[in-house]
Amino acid sequence: MPEKKSVDPAITELLDKAMAEGINTVFDRAETTKACPIGSVSACCKNCSMGPCRLTGKTEVGLCGATKATIAARNLARDIASGAAAHSDHGRDMALTLLAACEGHAPDYGIKDERKLKAVAAYLGIPTEGRDKVEIGRDVALATLSNFSSTKAEVDSVKRAPPKRQEVWRNLGIAPRGVDREIVEVLHRTHAGNDQDAEHILDHGLRCALGDGWGGSMLATDISDILFGTPGPVAARSNFGVLSETEVNIVIHGHEPTLSELIVAAAGEPDMIEYAKSKGAAGINLAGMCCTANEILMRQGVPVLGNYLSQELAIVTGAVEAIVVDIQCIMQGLVAAAKPYHTKIVTTSPKAHITGASRIQFDEHRAMEIAKEIVKLAIDNFPNRSKNKVQIPNYVNHLVAGFSHEYLNYMQGGIYRESFRPLNDNIMNGRIRGAAGVVGCNNARVTHDDAQTYIVKELIKNDVLVVTTGCNAIACAKLGLLTPEVMNIAGPGLREVCQTIGIPPVLHMGSCVDNSRILTVLAQCATEGGLGEDISDLPVAGFAPEWMSEKAISIGTYVVASGVTTWMVGHHPYSNSPEVVDMITEGWKKKVGAAYYFEPDPEKAVLEALAHIDAKRAALKLEEYNPTRYAQSETYLPADYTSHENFAKGLYSRAGV
Ligand code: BF8
């Protein structure tokens, strides 16, 4: 168990309160419930009722003769399929909402971003000239839905990858067809007695993951932008200090923007605010949790309360009237944690009920009416708040988020010259050593937010530009890494670029489905010129520190399949088969030009990634990276002037040195 539970002081404060009040949280359960040593390395096969078979000790095969490699490969493929299903089903629901809006059945939604609508229509081969946006929107929704159910040769977004990458996929036979088909085929192949060649199973795992990244997730992001707007930079606040002592606090938790956008609108309605005042509150205060937080932060600037491991502790503040959840990453433990408090846990999705929770089922056909019902439920609960139970940790950080691919393109040249030329040039000349995507979850088996923030700081210190999503983005937000001032701890070259372009060195790009924005950025860097012709040529790396979900496995796999070597920071869940470990590292390097590493030590992962970035630079014949070449003015501070500990205490600015 980690010695320290979290590097976030707000979490530490609330854990003390939880302990004093006898509340059991995920942090406690991580101490009392050990991970199963057999399942945690894929030594277990439970695909039929002759088992579960444990392939430990001298046992080399299951009852049916399945080898360690087959079992580990099947487990990996099933993890990918589950993660791909979660992202993609989210994407499908976004498309159904767009369709309902365009057919006049969802009056509270409309097309907010016509430019994005037309761009997506072009990818999907839908004519736009002289057509009404609602007509185009309907066609986009239908074409999107057909990408899920289709049996055609490839999902449409495959064409958005660089031509060389498309060739790699086609040569390997892993360009994804319909997203649903690839997921179903994983389940079929991994059923007892079917596909029993590890490499062959894993090839299909790659295909299924690509169906997530370049299919389901990319379409989810596209439709969200069409309905709610493509994000641009927005200033906001984060951490527990964003809760209000005097207002009704509503925490919006989950993943889909469909309901949360409407709750934001409902909470701003004058009649709702008046109603809150009539119950003794000063107003209504919203805060986001997990990827819903990222969605409504990027588009509405709604404050971010916390990431995955923060959810039960929101209740422990005693100040939250309702936690409204939709889908994914919602702990069942919320209901038990809420029992001694007044907080109501409200489930809303037809796909996700929780025993003992309140329930208001969301229906996009009467979205505003339902959103108001939810806000009203929270307001009605305000008088039940016990003042003597309230403790809101006084920690708030400021942040800038909202760096969509479109905005990054715009900011590097304005509307007439938008491009990725400045970024590519600065990577080529070595001011920027490379770039990294740092994404993913929290995991109660390690110190909360520690590896997340350590890796980001180390990367920017070494002149590596960071893009972030999901729970990493929230960790960065809470701990002050999403501010322009953070360029003070960036390496000199990266700092110079950030100063001239006017961006922070850590760019918040959204929720987990928005990892597809990162794919779009990578595709553009690869085709812009000067950095090779394929994503696998780029000096870039992927990280998922503190990962925990099957969605993270799917993301990691499609990032690798897209050509980016990736470090999942944590134990190796498939290590019972050295053959599979080799297949996804050395084997995938040969197949897709990138490796999939599981490495528990964050320091080692960073060092390996920096060496990898330098090797990619060398292969491109770029100038060798030199950390002292640029920005040698007196404003330069050695990047290691502050320790990880000082950084966590907020002593990271020059003033704090
Ligand atoms: O989808 S990073 S814990 S919240 S799975 Fe979940 Fe992981 Fe957070 Fe967003 Ni993504």
Side-chain angles (χ1 to χ4, degrees):
M1 275 316 303
E3 253 174 55
K4 198 171 171 184
K5 291 185 175 167
S6 177
V7 295
D8 178 348
I11 297 290
T12 308
E13 182 181 324
L14 286 169
L15 281 173
D16 289 344
K17 183 171 189 275
M19 192 194 275
E21 293 176 1
I23 307 302
N24 185 268
T25 70
V26 59
F27 292 91
D28 304 307
R29 296 189 290 274
E31 281 181 0
T32 51
T33 307
K34 303 291 168 217
C36 166
I38 299 162
S40 66
V41 293
S42 262
C44 176
C45 177
K46 56 182 184 64
N47 289 20
C48 84
S49 79
M50 294 195 294
C53 294
R54 303 164 151 206
L55 274 70
T56 55
K58 289 189 181 144
T59 309
E60 287 294 324
V61 296
L63 259 67
C64 68
T67 61
K68 288 181 178 178
T70 296
I71 289 168
R74 285 202 300 222
N75 289 344
L76 169 50
R78 283 190 167 213
D79 288 345
I80 293 168
S82 175
H87 288 141
S88 302
D89 213 31
H90 166 167
R92 186 201 326 272
D93 282 347
M94 298 307 303
L96 288 169
T97 302
L98 177 61
L99 184 63
C102 293
E103 290 185 338
H105 307 308
D108 300 318
Y109 298 100
I111 290 164
K112 200 156 180 188
D113 189 339
E114 215 172 321
R115 195 171 176 218
K116 181 89 182 214
L117 173 74
K118 288 188 175 156
V120 176
Y123 298 134
L124 295 167
I126 293 165
T128 54
E129 203 53 42
R131 297 184 74 204
D132 179 71
K133 68 175 180 181
V134 175
E135 257 178 63
I136 304 170
R138 186 174 176 278
D139 286 355
V140 163
L142 290 171
T144 299
L145 291 168
S146 83
N147 272 282
F148 289 99
S149 58
S150 116
T151 48
K152 59 187 179 183
E154 287 172 3
V155 299
D156 288 309
S157 323
V158 163
K159 295 194 286 288
R160 289 159 77 169
K164 275 229 161 179
R165 186 62 8 194
Q166 296 179 36
E167 219 177 287
V168 169
W169 295 338
R170 286 185 193 124
N171 289 341
L172 289 168
I174 61 167
R177 301 157 293 183
V179 180
D180 297 349
R181 177 177 182 179
E182 305 307 2
I183 295 165
V184 168
E185 196 171 311
V186 168
L187 296 179
H188 179 196
R189 285 184 187 225
T190 57
H191 184 276
N194 204 25
D195 200 351
Q196 288 157 107
D197 177 89
E199 189 179 347
H200 195 238
I201 294 167
L202 292 177
D203 283 350
H204 187 70
L206 289 168
R207 190 175 210 178
C208 180
L210 286 169
D212 175 355
W214 294 84
S217 286
M218 197 169 275
L219 293 164
T221 297
D222 286 345
I223 308 284
S224 301
D225 286 353
I226 291 169
L227 285 169
F228 305 115
T230 302
V234 59
R237 298 171 303 136
S238 80
N239 215 339
F240 274 84
V242 305
L243 291 177
S244 168
E245 292 221 357
T246 54
E247 293 170 302
V248 174
N249 289 308
I250 304 175
V251 174
I252 320 175
H253 174 21
H255 281 76
E256 289 177 339
T258 343
L259 170 62
S260 50
E261 282 277 341
L262 268 285
I263 290 182
V264 176
E269 295 266 313
D271 60 327
M272 286 286 120
I273 296 169
E274 276 316 305
Y275 187 61
K277 287 184 178 163
S278 77
K279 297 284 174 181
I284 305 166
N285 181 48
L286 300 179
M289 178 78 69
C290 286
C291 282
T292 289
N294 291 321
E295 297 280 359
I296 50 179
L297 163 70
M298 295 269 283
R299 297 194 181 88
Q300 307 279 0
V302 172
V304 178
L305 185 61
N307 49 10
Y308 181 65
L309 287 185
S310 315
Q311 53 191 288
E312 291 166 312
L313 295 170
I315 298 165
V316 175
T317 62
V320 173
E321 276 54 59
I323 300 186
V324 184
V325 304
D326 51 32
I327 49 161
Q328 299 170 22
C329 303
I330 298 143
M331 290 188 194
Q332 186 163 3
L334 283 176
V335 173
K339 272 208 175 120
Y341 299 91
H342 77 303
T343 308
K344 294 224 183 279
I345 311 299
V346 187
T347 62
T348 59
S349 166
K351 295 173 198 165
H353 289 207
I354 303 179
T355 308
S358 305
R359 173 148 199 86
I360 298 180
Q361 186 149 315
F362 184 61
D363 175 358
E364 71 263 25
H365 302 100
R366 21 181 226 104
M368 191 49 140
E369 186 190 326
I370 293 169
K372 281 189 166 185
E373 197 184 329
I374 291 169
V375 172
K376 190 168 173 296
L377 171 139
I379 295 170
D380 285 335
N381 198 22
F382 183 77
N384 299 325
R385 191 193 282 186
S386 338
K387 285 217 169 76
N388 59 353
K389 275 199 163 185
V390 172
Q391 182 178 329
I392 300 174
N394 189 19
Y395 296 96
V396 181
N397 252 308
H398 292 267
L399 67 113
V400 180
F403 293 94
S404 57
H405 160 256
E406 287 82 350
Y407 188 81
L408 292 174
N409 203 20
Y410 164 75
M411 110 204 156
Q412 294 182 76
I415 211 122
Y416 293 109
R417 281 201 200 149
E418 42 181 36
S419 80
F420 269 59
R421 201 62 256 157
L423 177 63
N424 277 30
D425 284 345
N426 281 299
I427 293 176
M428 288 163 69
N429 65 31
R431 278 188 177 81
I432 298 178
R433 185 177 188 171
V438 190
V439 309
C441 320
N442 289 148
N443 188 322
R445 302 284 175 201
V446 294
T447 303
H448 171 235
D449 286 346
D450 189 29
Q452 294 281 26
T453 49
Y454 168 80
I455 288 172
V456 170
K457 285 185 285 179
E458 284 302 306
L459 290 170
I460 60 172
K461 194 166 103 173
N462 283 285
D463 290 300
V464 175
L465 178 72
V466 170
V467 293
T468 174
T469 62
C471 285
N472 179 268
I474 298 175
C476 290
K478 289 186 302 167
L479 296 166
L481 285 168
L482 296 185
T483 59
E485 291 80 10
V486 164
M487 62 177 83
N488 289 346
I489 64 149
L494 175 61
R495 180 155 49 88
E496 189 182 325
V497 176
C498 290
Q499 283 167 341
T500 48
I501 301 184
I503 51 161
V506 186
L507 300 170
H508 185 322
M509 291 193 77
S511 63
C512 284
V513 292
D514 290 338
N515 284 315
S516 61
R517 298 190 198 278
I518 300 178
L519 296 179
T520 313
V521 166
L522 290 165
Q524 192 163 346
C525 286
T527 47
E528 183 75 43
L531 294 176
E533 294 179 336
D534 191 357
I535 294 172
S536 58
D537 297 330
L538 301 171
V540 296
F543 287 91
E546 303 175 38
W547 74 275
M548 66 89 201
S549 71
E550 291 159 318
K551 289 186 289 172
I553 291 290
S554 180
I555 293 167
T557 309
Y558 74 63
V559 170
V560 173
S562 302
V564 178
T565 290
T566 296
W567 282 260
M568 304 293 282
V569 182
H571 83 282
H572 202 310
Y574 314 106
S575 61
N576 200 46
S577 167
E579 261 182 89
V580 163
V581 173
D582 187 63
M583 279 175 203
I584 64 176
T585 50
E586 296 310 310
W588 283 2
K589 262 190 223 170
K590 287 184 200 119
K591 285 186 185 217
V592 293
Y596 203 18
Y597 295 114
F598 289 83
E599 171 52 60
D601 179 352
E603 278 181 48
K604 194 161 172 250
V606 169
L607 291 174
E608 287 176 1
L610 291 174
H612 166 79
I613 284 171
D614 289 344
K616 289 287 175 190
R617 293 186 64 84
L620 287 165
K621 302 201 170 29
L622 300 179
E623 209 166 313
E624 201 176 329
Y625 165 70
N626 175 351
T628 58
R629 179 165 168 201
Y630 293 104
Q632 288 299 296
S633 71
E634 60 187 22
T635 62
Y636 169 68
L637 289 167
D640 60 354
Y641 71 93
T642 185
S643 67
H644 190 35
E645 286 69 32
N646 281 345
F647 197 94
K649 287 185 214 145
L651 301 173
Y652 58 82
S653 69
R654 284 201 182 103
V657 177

